């Protein structure tokens, strides 16, 4: 019974750490499919710009991020 509590003690921080890495990565990666959906009429025009505004700000501030995102967005559009 003591082993179960030890397993749970390290599992929670691992799940939190994975979540802290995965959630932002999925947010950025979801821009491509969202653009595709908007371009094909499945999302209203302007929704993507509103939801992903923080990414657009980062793109404007950092050239490396901008070039990577432009490549990724062209892949989807």
């Amino acid at each position: 019974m003591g082993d179960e509590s030890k397993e749970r003690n390290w599992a929670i921080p691992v799940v939190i750490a994975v979540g802290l890495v995965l959630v932002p990565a999925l947010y950025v990666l979801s821009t491509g499919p969202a653009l595709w959906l908007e371009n094909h009429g499945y999302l209203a025009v302007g929704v993507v710009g509103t939801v992903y505004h923080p990414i657009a700000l980062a793109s404007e501030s950092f050239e490396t991020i901008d070039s990577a995102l432009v490549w990724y967005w062209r892949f989807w559009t």
Side-chain angles (χ1 to χ4, degrees):
M1 195 177 228
D3 291 335
E4 286 181 24
S5 65
K6 286 180 184 177
E7 287 179 19
R8 277 187 245 147
N9 286 341
W10 68 264
I12 292 171
V14 169
V15 168
I16 291 172
V18 167
L20 287 173
V21 171
L22 222 53
V23 169
L26 290 174
Y27 173 67
V28 172
L29 291 174
S30 69
T31 59
L35 284 171
W36 186 90
L37 289 170
E38 185 178 78
N39 287 340
H40 287 83
Y42 294 105
L43 289 176
V45 175
V47 171
V48 173
T50 302
V51 172
Y52 296 106
H53 185 70
I55 294 175
L57 292 175
S59 177
E60 292 171 2
S61 300
F62 301 99
E63 187 177 330
T64 306
I65 293 173
D66 184 53
S67 61
L69 285 173
V70 166
W71 176 86
Y72 183 67
W73 293 337
R74 283 186 183 153
F75 174 78
W76 280 95
T77 55

